[in-house]
């Protein structure tokens, strides 16, 4: 199945984990080649404005400053989506009940696998947090 369709299915699991208060963290890893962008993290931030996420772009080069943005989940989606297959082959969703991995293979097909949870509780992100 085309990776874009599978990523939408994966994103539904992300939204469901937020609604059920199970979302712990999301990570984009497995870079394509050796780009300056090392990985992307999405961590929960609970505020009076409702659920937000801290989106952090981490760079390899010390000369490039990491970028942090506080966004809604809907605002984070297109940012993450644009890095698929251009910079990253996989996205890992960590929840308190399971880990879900989205991968793109060399032919451009997407897949979703599930495993045991890495996190048993949720740690809220703080601006400037690693």
């Amino acid at each position: 199945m085309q990776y874009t369709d599978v990523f939408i299915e994966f994103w539904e699991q992300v939204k469901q984990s937020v609604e059920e208060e199970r979302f712990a963290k999301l990570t984009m890893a497995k870079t394509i080649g050796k780009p300056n962008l090392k990985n992307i993290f999405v961590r929960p931030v609970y505020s009076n404005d409702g659920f937000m996420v801290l989106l952090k772009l981490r760079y390899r080069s010390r000369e490039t400053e990491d970028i942090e943005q506080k966004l809604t989940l809907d605002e984070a989606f297109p940012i993450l989506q644009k890095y698929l297959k251009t910079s990253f082959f996989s996205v890992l969703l960590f929840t308190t009940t399971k880990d879900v991995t989205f991968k793109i293979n060399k032919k451009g097909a997407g897949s979703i696998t599930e495993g045991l949870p890495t996190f048993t509780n949720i740690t809220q992100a703080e601006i400037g947090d690693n």
Side-chain angles (χ1 to χ4, degrees), residues 1-3 6-7 9-10 89-91 100-105 108-114:
M1 188 182 294
Q2 184 71 326
Y3 79 90
V6 178
F7 186 68
E9 288 178 32
F10 172 81
F89 278 128
S90 67
V91 186
V100 183
T101 304
F102 166 80
K103 289 184 182 178
I104 303 170
N105 68 18
S111 65
I112 297 173
T113 56
E114 295 182 2

Side-chain angles (χ1 to χ4, degrees), residues 20-120:
E20 296 173 357
E21 298 180 357
R22 298 181 294 110
F23 179 85
K25 182 171 117 172
L26 185 127
T27 303
M28 294 184 88
K30 299 242 183 189
T31 58
I32 298 169
K34 283 279 190 188
N36 191 24
L37 182 59
K38 185 177 179 179
N39 41 26
I40 298 174
F41 300 103
V42 179
R43 303 214 17 228
V45 177
Y46 296 92
S47 67
N48 294 337
D49 302 330
F51 182 82
M52 303 284 285
V53 294
L54 179 66
L55 177 80
K56 182 173 186 172
L57 283 71
R58 178 171 281 164
Y59 293 91
R60 290 181 198 284
S61 167
R62 295 187 190 269
E63 291 80 42
T64 307
E65 193 170 321
D66 292 347
I67 297 170
E68 293 182 350
Q69 293 178 284
K70 189 174 166 184
L71 305 167
T72 67
L73 202 57
D74 290 338
E75 291 169 335
F77 177 76
I79 295 170
L80 297 174
Q81 193 174 32
K82 82 177 185 177
Y83 288 104
L84 287 176
K85 205 175 173 192
T86 58
S87 299
F88 298 96
F89 278 128
S90 67
V91 186
L92 291 88
L93 167 63
F94 300 98
T95 74
T96 57
T97 56
K98 64 183 174 182
D99 290 353
V100 183
T101 304
F102 166 80
K103 289 184 182 178
I104 303 170
N105 68 18
K106 292 177 183 177
K107 294 181 181 179
S111 65
I112 297 173
T113 56
E114 295 182 2
L116 296 173
T118 301
F119 297 93
T120 54

